Amino acid sequence: MVPAEPIVDIRGLRKRFGSNEVLRGIDLAVAPGEVVAIIGRSGSGKSTLLRCINGLESPDAGTLAIEGRPMRLDDPRAMRDLRQRVGMIFQSFNLFPHLDVGHNIMLAPGLVKGRRGAQGEARARQLLARVGLDDKFEAMPAQLSGGQQQRVAIARALAMEPQVLLCDEITSALDPELVAEVLAVVEMLASEGMTLLMVTHEMRFARKVADRVVFMHEGAIHETGPASELFTRPQTTELRQFLAALD
Amino acid sequence: MVEFTLWDILRNLLLAARWTVALSLIAFVAGGALGLLLVLARTLPAGAVGRWAGRCVALHVEVFQGTPLLMQLFLAYFGLALLGLEVSAWLAAALALTLHASAFLAEIWRGCIEAVPRGQWDAAASLALTRSEQLRRVIAPQALRIAIAPTVGFLVQVIKGTALASVIGFIELAKAGTMITNATFRPFAVYACVAAIYFAMCYPVSAFSRRLERRLNGAR
Ligand SMILES: Nc1ncnc2c1ncn2[C@@H]1O[C@H](COP(=O)(O)OP(=O)(O)OP(=O)(O)O)[C@@H](O)[C@H]1O
Ligand SMILES: [Mg+2]
């Protein structure tokens, strides 16, 4: 793939927590509409990488640009702008438990984009329908299954109309029978051209949906390539060991 | 010698109880407002300012949690006099109780804010909410729910704690009880009335909190 203008452009990204160097110089350019699966062992820095991309963590070195615009962590207006373009979905859903499903979705567009009232509600209902939960507008998060909660979280992220979605192990907290309904929504987004960076342990899904797989090892990108090649012909022992340990 | 009826005793105690109520209200409202400022200062993002604010608040909390309320009352009364400020027992008691309450409430509320899972901040931030929107719209409503029981518990402590203000000569319910006992020589009747009045003030407060908590939890 020849990335025209990368939508996410990461260069020399470093991050340490105290003496623990978690990211040791990450270079990654993601093209618009590309689906990138990030795999790697626990503690290899996958979550930290994603969290740097929308500024939940502040990098110690390196540059990061979204749609050609460099990230400015110290500029609240720039960050507000960036986070509208980069959405995130978490392993633990993180729905707001004090708000019903509809208000979970409408809160941020109302505050950030001034989209309130009937217009905001219509949009929220439309998004709920897209994730197959039309009838849950008034439900409280605690009344939903994990799979339904995660689909609401996806609808909530989509309500900001992001160009890029960061997904951090979004099916890892789900019972096995609920994984498929969430992955189906992600696959739909991928087919519609959403740029996706997803940390995942679902290798079959990565193989099916990802344009590119990135294997992280000890804070660096150890190996990367198209899913078909990476899984069938891993070049490094670390990746071979990682894949072998999976099955 | 004048004969005191039970009604005389009760009436005089109730008159003094007004001061207990007033002192409790001031301590709670002013202490709550100050406590809120303190807890907000403590949730400032970790920068140079945030760190310093956090340290000052922590010190304030340590000092007022680590010393007896009795000493705080003495220090407010006699300490301010030493500085040349002539303060009434009333003002000194209000000041000491306000500072005392602010420290405890700040600490209680900080705990409640920290009890809200980290992921709630992350989710709110990733939806482009500003720091203050995250706090007001996502974190505070959840922290509030957790805060009701300990806050009301502390309010009851404050009501009872006002009795200590008698040591600096402030005439509230407990002090009035002692004075009336000295005049009537009926300590049991007097102190039974005093206890009943304290109970009558504290019980509705806890009952209200239980109802409020049930309602909020029911609305999930
Ligand atoms: N806020 C933090 N403070 C200190 N250390 C952290 C913090 N966040 C992550 N770390 C450390 O950074 C390292 C990488 O963490 P990260 O969560 O990025 O790994 P991961 O690849 O996502 O792992 P997993 O598969 O378990 O989610 C770990 O050693 C972790 O302990
Ligand atoms: Mg992780």
Side-chain angles (χ1 to χ4, degrees), chain A residues 41-48 50-51 91 168-169 199 201:
Chain A
R41 250 190 256 138
S42 179
S44 56
K46 307 180 297 293
S47 297
T48 307
L50 282 197
R51 292 168 61 85
Q91 177 174 349
D168 192 0
E169 298 195 37
V199 174
H201 291 305

Side-chain angles (χ1 to χ4, degrees), chain A residues 51 54 56 80 83-84 88 90 94-98 107-108 111-112 140 156 160, chain B residues 119-120 122-130 133-134 137-138 141-142 145 219-220:
Chain A
R51 292 168 61 85
N54 71 347
L56 289 183
R80 198 168 170 86
R83 284 174 174 159
Q84 290 178 66
M88 185 158 189
F90 303 86
N94 298 347
L95 292 184
F96 305 137
H98 59 299
L107 178 68
L111 290 170
V112 179
M140 295 307 281
R156 181 175 71 174
M160 299 302 282
Chain B
Q120 293 289 310
D122 287 346
S126 73
L127 288 165
L129 269 54
T130 62
E133 285 168 345
Q134 296 166 30
R137 306 302 293 264
V138 176
Q142 299 180 57
R145 218 168 259 188
R220 281 181 168 272

Side-chain angles (χ1 to χ4, degrees), chain B residues 103-196:
Chain B
F104 275 81
L105 289 173
E107 193 61 3
I108 290 172
W109 293 341
R110 184 177 69 94
C112 295
I113 288 175
E114 279 172 9
V116 177
R118 187 75 230 156
Q120 293 289 310
W121 289 98
D122 287 346
S126 73
L127 288 165
L129 269 54
T130 62
R131 180 96 189 160
S132 107
E133 285 168 345
Q134 296 166 30
L135 188 61
R136 279 183 298 119
R137 306 302 293 264
V138 176
I139 306 301
Q142 299 180 57
L144 200 67
R145 218 168 259 188
I146 312 171
I148 293 171
T151 303
V152 173
F154 180 70
L155 174 55
V156 170
Q157 294 294 321
V158 167
I159 295 174
K160 294 189 285 191
T162 56
L164 286 177
S166 57
V167 298
I168 55 172
F170 181 63
I171 302 172
E172 38 62 70
L173 182 52
K175 179 77 174 176
T178 309
M179 290 162 70
I180 293 170
T181 301
N182 290 340
T184 60
F185 305 109
R186 291 171 64 188
F188 185 79
V190 173
Y191 286 121
C193 288
V194 169

Side-chain angles (χ1 to χ4, degrees), chain B residues 8-193:
Chain B
D8 286 324
I9 292 173
L10 202 56
R11 191 169 53 92
N12 282 296
L13 286 176
L14 282 172
L15 287 176
R18 291 180 309 178
W19 292 106
T20 293
V21 171
L23 197 54
S24 304
L25 277 178
I26 288 186
F28 205 69
V29 172
L34 184 57
L36 195 62
L37 285 180
L38 293 176
V39 85
L40 286 179
R42 229 180 178 180
T43 54
L44 285 177
V49 181
R51 253 201 317 281
W52 269 105
R55 264 187 221 148
C56 293
V57 176
L59 185 68
H60 176 86
V61 169
E62 289 298 332
V63 166
F64 280 90
Q65 285 198 334
T67 56
L69 177 55
L70 193 61
M71 298 303 130
Q72 294 163 18
L73 285 159
F74 278 142
L75 287 176
Y77 191 50
F78 299 115
L80 288 177
L82 267 185
L83 292 177
L85 290 169
E86 226 23 82
V87 290
S88 62
W90 158 242
L91 196 63
L95 181 69
L97 275 163
T98 296
L99 292 175
H100 178 82
S102 73
F104 275 81
L105 289 173
E107 193 61 3
I108 290 172
W109 293 341
R110 184 177 69 94
C112 295
I113 288 175
E114 279 172 9
V116 177
R118 187 75 230 156
Q120 293 289 310
W121 289 98
D122 287 346
S126 73
L127 288 165
L129 269 54
T130 62
R131 180 96 189 160
S132 107
E133 285 168 345
Q134 296 166 30
L135 188 61
R136 279 183 298 119
R137 306 302 293 264
V138 176
I139 306 301
Q142 299 180 57
L144 200 67
R145 218 168 259 188
I146 312 171
I148 293 171
T151 303
V152 173
F154 180 70
L155 174 55
V156 170
Q157 294 294 321
V158 167
I159 295 174
K160 294 189 285 191
T162 56
L164 286 177
S166 57
V167 298
I168 55 172
F170 181 63
I171 302 172
E172 38 62 70
L173 182 52
K175 179 77 174 176
T178 309
M179 290 162 70
I180 293 170
T181 301
N182 290 340
T184 60
F185 305 109
R186 291 171 64 188
F188 185 79
V190 173
Y191 286 121
C193 288

Side-chain angles (χ1 to χ4, degrees), chain A:
Chain A
M1 172 170 295
V2 191
E5 159 89 350
I7 190 164
V8 177
D9 198 357
I10 303 169
R11 293 189 195 174
L13 192 72
R14 289 177 177 276
K15 173 71 184 173
R16 55 164 69 243
F17 293 111
S19 62
N20 182 10
E21 187 159 39
V22 175
L23 298 179
R24 306 163 186 245
I26 301 283
D27 295 294
L28 181 66
V30 180
E34 197 179 7
V35 177
V36 177
I38 301 169
I39 60 173
R41 250 190 256 138
S42 179
S44 56
K46 307 180 297 293
S47 297
T48 307
L49 173 60
L50 282 197
R51 292 168 61 85
C52 282
I53 297 175
N54 71 347
L56 289 183
E57 303 288 353
S58 54
D60 297 317
T63 62
L64 213 154
I66 306 293
E67 293 181 308
R69 275 177 271 180
M71 160 136 39
R72 300 273 316 275
L73 271 166
D74 50 354
D75 180 349
R77 283 206 12 226
M79 287 313 293
R80 198 168 170 86
D81 185 55
L82 179 139
R83 284 174 174 159
Q84 290 178 66
R85 289 178 286 130
V86 182
M88 185 158 189
I89 305 160
F90 303 86
Q91 177 174 349
S92 48
F93 327 134
N94 298 347
L95 292 184
F96 305 137
H98 59 299
L99 299 177
D100 64 22
V101 164
H103 286 88
N104 260 277
I105 298 175
M106 295 185 297
L107 178 68
L111 290 170
V112 179
K113 297 185 187 287
R115 191 185 287 145
R116 299 204 174 82
Q119 186 199 9
E121 183 177 331
R123 176 84 182 126
R125 287 190 187 278
Q126 196 184 340
L127 286 164
L128 270 180
R130 277 191 71 194
V131 298
L133 294 170
D134 342 34
D135 53 337
K136 298 294 185 195
F137 191 86
E138 273 100 21
M140 295 307 281
Q143 299 168 325
L144 303 180
S145 74
Q148 291 171 329
Q149 288 192 48
Q150 193 61 295
R151 283 186 281 153
V152 171
I154 295 174
R156 181 175 71 174
L158 292 178
M160 299 302 282
E161 293 163 352
Q163 270 85 62
V164 181
L165 262 190
L166 311 171
C167 306
D168 192 0
E169 298 195 37
I170 63 172
T171 57
S172 294
L174 298 178
D175 293 335
E177 70 271 20
L178 301 177
V179 169
E181 65 188 57
V182 172
L183 291 184
V185 172
V186 176
E187 198 175 346
M188 171 185 81
L189 293 176
S191 72
E192 289 169 0
M194 175 72 78
T195 308
L196 287 166
L197 280 90
M198 45 188 313
V199 174
T200 185
H201 291 305
E202 300 285 334
M203 295 304 153
R204 262 202 316 200
F205 183 74
R207 210 166 177 148
K208 184 161 89 172
V209 177
D211 300 307
R212 183 154 50 121
V213 177
V214 167
F215 171 61
M216 284 189 66
H217 183 70
E218 293 180 350
I221 295 183
H222 202 66
E223 198 171 331
T224 176
S228 51
E229 275 177 36
L230 207 84
F231 288 128
T232 46
R233 284 190 298 280
Q235 300 296 311
T236 61
T237 38
E238 286 79 8
L239 179 54
R240 268 197 293 276
Q241 279 169 0
F242 175 77
L243 292 175
L246 284 179
D247 24 53

